[in-house]
Amino acid sequence: MSVKRIYLILLTLSLAIISFEIISTRISSVIFVSNYAFLILSLAILGIGLGSIYAHYRVKAIESDEIIIVLKKYIVALSVSLIIFILSIVLFKITNPYVYFSLQTIPFFTAGILYSQIYKVFSFDGFRLYASDLSGAAIGAVASIPILNNLGAVNGVLFVSLLLLTIVIYSFSIGLRRSVRLLIYSLMFLSMGFLLVKGDDELIGEIPIGYYPEKDFYYVYPDAKEISEIEESRWSINGRSDLVKYKNQDMVKQLFIDGSAGSQMYRFGGDVKNPGSMLGRLLIQHSTSIPFLLLNENEKNRMLVIGPGGGKEILVGLIEGVKEIYGVEVNSDFVRIVKEQKEFNGGIYTDFSNVNILIDEGRNYIKRANKYFDLIVMALPSTEQLQNIDNIASNENYLLTVEAIKDYLNRLTQNGRLIFTVHNRWELIRLLVTAIYAFDESGINNRDALNHFIVIGQDYAPTLVIKKTAFSQNDISNIKNTLRKIPKSLPQVTYLPFSWNELDKSPENLFLSTVYENIESIEELIKKDKYYISPVRDDSPFFYKVSRGVPDDLLKLFIAIVIIGLLVVAIPAFNVKRIKKEKIDRKELFFTLLLFVCIGAGFMIMEIALFQKLILYLGIPTVSLSVLLSSLLIGMGMGSFYSKKIIKVKFYGRLRIITLFIVIYGIILFTTYPLILDGVVELNLAFRAFIIFMLLLPLAFMLGVPFPAGINLLKEHKLEKYIPWLYGVNGLMSVAGSVLAVIFSMTLGFTFSFFVGLFFYSVITVITWNAARRK
C-alpha cells in the first residue's frame, strides 16, 4: 500500500473521530448533566490510549502487507461500533452512565488500535503522518458544525460511519471488479445522500433526555413527563433545542436546550394595550417582572435582554411600555423557533418595530455595544449543562463575573438598572458578593454599594436589581408607595436601602446586614459560609461551583487516571529493564517516554486554558471553538510537515530551541493578548478571528514538532515496536492534562493552568539540554 493512501486513511480517521467526539458530546449533554458529560468525554479519550496499549501487546502487524488486513478489519469494526452505539442509545433509551460510557468507549478504543499501528508501521514518515492526523482533526472540528446543524446527532453519527466505510472501500477494493466497486460506491453515496436530504429528521428515533434533577424538562409541572409533548426539535452545535407543549394548558410552551434551561413562550394576541388577564397574571408572578413596576416613564427608553429565549422578558418590556428593546440570544435555533411560532406568540420577534433580536453572545455584545441602556435584564442566564464542544466546558459563565458587572454598568445610563434573576438563594448571595467587589473596584466601598441594590428574595428564582447610581431616600420612599399596591400573593421585595429595621431574617439579608454593620469583613463572611460564595472572575468564571476545593468527581477521576497511568508506564518499563542492555537503547526509550508524558499533559492543559480565555473575545461559542481549533490544528499540521527539515540534524539542540520558543512565546502571548484584543473588540467577527488565528499560529507551528520528532527518534533507534505503548501513554497524559486543567482552572484560574502547561514544555527543554550534553 502506498504511503499517500495511508495519509488519506489517517486524515479520514481523524476527521471521523473528532466529528464523533464532538457529536457524542452533544448527545451526552442531552442525556446527562455537565459533570457526567465531562467525565464520559475524558474517559473516552482514555479509550484511545487503552486501545493503543492493547495494540502494543496484542496486534503484531509489522510489514505493510499485514497492515492492510489490520486496517481493513479495524476500520470496519470502528464503523460498525458507531452504528451500534447510536442504535443502542436511541432504541433502548440508554441513560445509565456506565452503559453509555462502555458503548462510547468502543469506537475510541478501536481508533487507538488504528492510530498506533499506522504510526508504528509507517514511523519512517512520522512527520507527514502527524500532519495528516492533525489536518483531519482540523477538518473534523469544522465539519462537525454543519454535520450537527444539518443532520443532527443521530444522522450525523450514521453519516460518519458511512464515511469510514467509503474510505475502506476506496482503499482496499483494488482487487474487485470495476462493476462491483461502482455498485458499492453508489450504495454508499446514495445512503449519505439520503441522510443529507432527510436533514436532522431523526430516522431511527430521538435521543432520550436523562432523568436528572438538573433537567428542567421534568419539573415544569409535577407530572411533566406524562403531559409534555415535544412539538419540534432542532440540533445544532449548541445542543438540541426542543419546543414542548403540554396537554393540561395551551397558554405556555417551553423551550429547552438539552432538556434544561427552560424558557417560556406565552400565547399572546399581539395587542400590548390589551394582553388579556390570564397572560398578565402569568407574567406578573415572575420575580423578574416586579422591578418593571418600580420604574418611571423616563427609565423605560431602551432595554437589553441577554438570553431572551422564548421571549418572556421581551413580552414584559412590550406590555410595560419600554420604547426600544434589544434581545441578544446565542442560540439561533431558539430565535428561529420563536419567529416561526408567531401565530402563537403574537410575533414578538417579528411584528414589533421596536424589538430587535440579535444572534450573539451577551457579554461579547456588551463589550462592543455603542448604545446605552436604561435596563439590562438577565433571567436564569445559564444552566449547569455542557454548552461548549471541547472536553472541558463545565460550568463556566462569563456573564456573571466581577468584570462582566463592570462592563454592564458602563453600558447603563446614569439611572440605569441591571435586573438579574438567578436560580436560588445561594446564587443570589454569590451574585451580591460579586457585585460588591465590582463596585469596590470602581471606587465605591462595600457599605455604600448596598445603596445600589434591591432584592426580591425567595427560594426559587430570586431577583437582584443593581442601579448604576445609588438609590436616594426619595427613590426608596416612592418605591415603597408603589409596593403597597402590589398584592401579597406576588413576589415581594425583601431588601431596600435605608430599611434595615424592616428586613426579614433571610440568608441574604443577614449577609447584607453584617456587611452594613461591619461586624465582619466580607472576606471573613466568604470564608465562614458553608457554600463557596467568593466573587467570580473572568480568569475562573465558574459561577455554579457550589463547594470549595476540587469537585469529588474530578478528584476521583484524576486519582483513577494516575493509577491507570502508573500501571501503563510501570509495567512495560519494567519489562524493558529485563531486556539485555545490548539489545535496546534504554536511554533513548526513556527519554522519549518522558517526552510523550510532557507533550500529552502540557499540550492539553495549554489548549484548554487558551480556549477558555480567548473565547471571551470571539463571543459565539461555536465560532470561537472553530477558530481556535483550526488555528491550533492547522498550525501544528504545518509544523509537523516541515519539522523533518527543522530537526533533521542536531536533534536534541533543535528540540531544545523549539520547546524554549514555546515557553517564551507562550508567556508573551498570555501576558499581552488582553491588550491586543481589547483594542480590536469593536471590529467585526472576521477580523477578530483572523487576529486570534495569527496570534496562535506561531505557537501552534512549534507545538506540532515534538510529537513526530519523538516518533522519528524511536524509528532511528529501532524502537518502533514501542510506538503503540508510547502513543497510549501520550493519550493517557492528555486525559490527565484535561482533568488537571479543570482542577487548576476552578481553584487557581486559567492563567495558572496555562503556565502549568508551559512548565511541562520547559521540562522538555531541560532534558534535551542534558541529552545534548551526553552526546
Side-chain angles (χ1 to χ4, degrees), residues 131 134-135 633-643 697 701:
L134 292 172
S135 298
L633 293 173
I634 291 171
M636 290 175 67
M638 292 168 58
S640 177
F641 186 82
Y642 289 107
S643 57
L697 200 60
F701 185 92

Side-chain angles (χ1 to χ4, degrees), residues 200 232-236 239-242 333 336-337 340:
D200 61 358
E232 182 180 355
S233 289
R234 295 192 181 191
W235 282 95
S236 72
R240 191 178 78 186
S241 300
D242 294 321
D333 286 336
R336 282 195 288 268
I337 289 171
E340 291 170 4

Side-chain angles (χ1 to χ4, degrees), residues 82 102 116 206 223 292-293 440 465 556 584 607 621 633 657:
L82 293 177
S102 300
S116 64
E206 293 181 344
D223 53 350
F292 286 83
L293 306 179
D440 182 66
V465 179
K556 290 175 183 176
I584 186 171
E607 177 192 41
L633 293 173
I657 292 170

